[in-house]
Amino acid sequence: MHFILDCDDVLLDWQRGFRHWIYANHGIKPEARGPMSWSLFKWLGVPEARCMELIADFNASQAFGELYAMDGAIDAVAKLHQAGHRLTVLTSCSADPVVLARRKENLQRVFGVMIERVICLALGESKAGWLEVLKSGIWIEDNYKNAMVGSDAGHITYMMRRRHNRADEATATNRSITWIDDWRPVVSLFS
């Protein structure tokens, strides 16, 4: 099988890295448990437009290339790789070649050579085109809009339940998307 994996808050702990970076660089100390929604306004206490600038600045920083793995991700990726599955990362973090290099180095440092391919799109760019190209896969995401796009493209889709996407689950209408708390259901089915 071909696994297509989102990266931030699925494989790598973007929120943790961002939280430390924003405190060190801007003196903003957001709650450690993370945001309650996709809007970072309440979590950071700055206007929405400024939130987007801060995200872009963080993604362009060296700290972005030094993210830790999410709980269970290393073990899950290792088991899926050992079972013979192909693993591709599809992420919308930046189209900048320096950021792409940092992302690839970070993934290789954390996961070794288990991930075959890393596709980085511009921050906020739709993953629809790539999800159409990467047919018949298993798509794992934490953004419900992207999960729906993957499901519509014919992928078996799993949605990682996170604090910031709980409202999406409450209003979710796509019943072909399976919500999971961690990697265990995927690993037990496919390894």
Side-chain angles (χ1 to χ4, degrees):
M1 299 283 310
H2 186 193
F3 279 81
I4 307 155
L5 311 169
D6 178 41
C7 191
D8 296 310
D9 297 326
V10 171
L11 290 174
L12 297 176
D13 195 343
W14 184 90
Q15 283 184 26
R16 177 181 177 186
F18 181 75
R19 192 177 71 247
H20 291 291
W21 175 86
I22 200 161
Y23 182 66
N25 290 279
H26 297 278
I28 298 170
K29 190 171 185 175
E31 182 183 351
R33 292 186 303 161
M36 293 288 293
S37 72
W38 283 102
S39 170
L40 298 184
F41 167 73
K42 288 182 183 175
W43 191 48
L44 300 178
V46 298
E48 224 26 79
R50 180 70 177 133
C51 291
M52 293 308 296
E53 290 172 13
L54 291 168
I55 291 168
D57 289 349
F58 171 68
N59 285 5
S61 75
Q62 180 62 38
F64 180 75
E66 300 170 351
L67 300 176
Y68 293 99
M70 293 294 292
D71 289 342
I74 294 172
D75 184 55
V77 166
K79 287 179 178 172
L80 294 171
H81 178 73
Q82 288 167 355
H85 300 297
R86 292 181 347 204
L87 305 170
T88 295
V89 170
L90 177 59
T91 181
S92 297
C93 59
S94 175
D96 183 292
V98 174
V99 176
L100 173 59
R102 285 183 183 142
R103 168 68 20 120
K104 286 181 175 181
E105 289 168 9
N106 193 178
L107 287 165
Q108 185 169 17
R109 191 171 43 257
V110 173
F111 297 100
V113 298
M114 296 181 284
I115 295 172
E116 267 182 40
R117 185 177 188 187
V118 178
I119 302 164
C120 286
L121 307 174
L123 183 62
E125 183 179 337
S126 173
K127 298 175 182 178
W130 276 103
L131 288 167
E132 287 291 333
V133 169
L134 302 168
K135 283 288 188 189
S136 303
I138 297 168
W139 173 226
I140 302 177
E141 175 64 83
D142 72 319
N143 181 315
Y144 184 65
K145 290 176 185 172
N146 289 332
M148 287 190 303
V149 169
S151 179
D152 291 345
H155 298 285
I156 298 167
T157 304
Y158 291 90
M159 181 74 182
M160 283 286 190
R161 191 178 281 119
R162 301 288 186 238
R163 191 169 188 240
H164 61 265
N165 65 24
R166 296 292 172 138
D168 294 328
E169 184 178 14
T171 60
T173 56
N174 188 327
R175 300 295 171 219
S176 65
I177 296 171
T178 303
W179 288 75
I180 55 177
D181 290 313
D182 54 44
W183 286 93
R184 288 178 292 186
V186 172
V187 170
S188 67
L189 283 172
F190 299 102
S191 67

